[in-house]
Amino acid sequence: MLKTLQLIFGIYPRRIMRSVKAIPWYRRTKKEFARQTENSGMPFPLTKSYPCLRDKGEDGGNASGHYFHQDLLVAQHIFKANPAKHVDIGSRIDGFVSHVASFREIEVIDIRTLSNELPNIKFVQADMMNPVREHLKGYADSVSSLHAIEHFGLGRYGDPIDAEGHLKGLANIYNLLQPGGTLYFSVPIGPQRVEFNAHRVFSVRYLLDYFEDKYTLQSFSFVDDKGAIHRNIELDEQKIANNCGCNYGCGIFILKKK
């Protein structure tokens, strides 16, 4: 029930309780600040209230989770590799894409629109379930798709329903990439399933079998169910079979096209 409230309605009971408990602290500190302001004569009138009731008990930032770790890890790799042309498929603009755009140009393809024109970001709106046009085959020596392919064909972002959407997306990424080029790829990992219409979760075995004839695995990292990253893991049969102990983790693959 608690998870349903959080996922569907955006209601977080524990956050609400922490906020309620902080109300006496807020009133006390506001009163003290008003007293100091009046006595000091500072030229900052105390006008409307803007309570922030949880921030004092939280960390200085959220340095964990799928997006934080994958965005930082892959951006660091691209910085070192310095490819001639890097194209991204569907990754977060306000995360990975902005990381890369801080030091180089990046071309972005997404089924959704991007209203803003941003430095170092060339944006194209397109459905990557549609076949890549002939003149774009082998277009880039470096391609990324982070936490995106799992959504293809589920309708979440206005895309058409297609049970094979992920396969079509992966085939198009393969065609877009030059032979010898590098693919930076991440998806949720765990027991294989669809949680409609949010995402697919992929087993590590399924992904390795798919990549076997098409790519050489350069490195594998993963973010576990608690949000911690495990970098450059050697995959053995046990880790593959139990999806590195993840139910909903994030597998981060760096692959070279054969």
Side-chain angles (χ1 to χ4, degrees):
M1 180 63 181
L2 181 60
K3 186 176 181 180
T4 301
L5 287 172
Q6 293 173 350
L7 292 179
I8 298 179
F9 300 108
I11 298 173
Y12 295 83
R14 290 174 182 166
R15 293 182 184 177
I16 293 171
M17 289 302 299
R18 286 203 300 270
S19 295
V20 170
K21 290 180 179 179
I23 290 173
W25 163 84
Y26 170 78
R27 289 175 174 169
R28 184 174 65 254
T29 54
K30 182 181 179 182
K31 184 177 180 181
E32 172 61 18
F33 186 83
R35 184 190 66 78
Q36 292 184 18
T37 299
E38 182 179 357
N39 293 338
S40 67
M42 291 294 292
F44 291 90
L46 187 60
T47 57
K48 66 179 182 180
S49 296
Y50 194 144
C52 299
L53 302 177
R54 298 194 316 271
D55 292 352
K56 70 185 182 70
E58 295 182 350
D59 291 340
N62 183 20
S64 67
H66 294 197
Y67 290 98
F68 175 83
H69 287 303
Q70 69 171 17
D71 293 354
L72 181 60
L73 174 67
V74 176
Q76 289 171 336
H77 275 277
I78 293 171
F79 178 79
K80 292 176 183 177
N82 191 27
K85 184 181 293 292
H86 185 80
V87 176
D88 179 78
I89 312 298
S91 304
R92 278 177 36 161
I93 297 292
D94 61 345
F96 170 72
V97 171
S98 62
H99 287 0
V100 176
S102 69
F103 60 83
R104 63 164 294 129
E105 183 178 272
I106 179 172
E107 299 184 24
V108 176
I109 303 173
D110 199 300
I111 196 168
R112 297 166 292 181
T113 60
L114 180 63
S115 301
N116 301 343
E117 291 188 11
L118 302 168
N120 269 353
I121 298 176
K122 294 176 65 177
F123 182 82
V124 175
Q125 185 181 10
D127 183 355
M128 280 297 289
M129 290 189 293
N130 294 330
V132 171
R133 295 178 182 178
E134 195 65 32
H135 72 282
L136 292 176
K137 291 183 177 179
Y139 177 71
D141 61 327
S142 182
V143 175
S144 56
S145 185
L146 306 183
H147 247 305
I149 285 292
E150 69 266 24
H151 305 302
F152 280 33
L154 300 184
R156 177 174 176 177
Y157 296 110
D159 46 314
I161 298 299
D162 191 332
E164 296 183 350
H166 63 295
L167 294 174
K168 293 177 180 178
L170 284 166
N172 287 324
I173 287 173
Y174 180 81
N175 288 331
L176 193 68
L177 189 62
Q178 295 174 6
T182 302
L183 171 61
Y184 303 92
F185 179 78
S186 77
V187 286
I189 58 170
Q192 191 148 292
R193 62 197 188 270
V194 173
E195 296 180 350
F196 190 84
N197 70 328
H199 49 243
R200 297 173 183 84
V201 179
F202 295 82
S203 72
V204 175
R205 171 59 68 194
Y206 177 89
L207 293 168
L208 291 175
D209 287 347
Y210 178 86
F211 292 140
E212 185 175 11
D213 296 332
K214 302 173 181 66
Y215 298 94
T216 301
L217 180 64
Q218 302 294 294
S219 73
F220 172 77
S221 304
F222 74 95
V223 181
D224 63 29
D225 289 350
K226 294 182 179 179
I229 192 167
H230 305 261
R231 292 185 176 226
N232 301 320
I233 299 302
E234 292 291 333
L235 284 169
D236 55 31
E237 285 303 317
Q238 182 179 0
K239 289 186 178 70
I240 294 169
N242 72 1
N243 301 299
C244 299
C246 296
N247 179 60
Y248 185 77
C250 177
I252 306 166
F253 298 80
I254 300 179
L255 305 146
K256 187 173 290 291
K257 182 175 177 179
K258 293 182 178 179

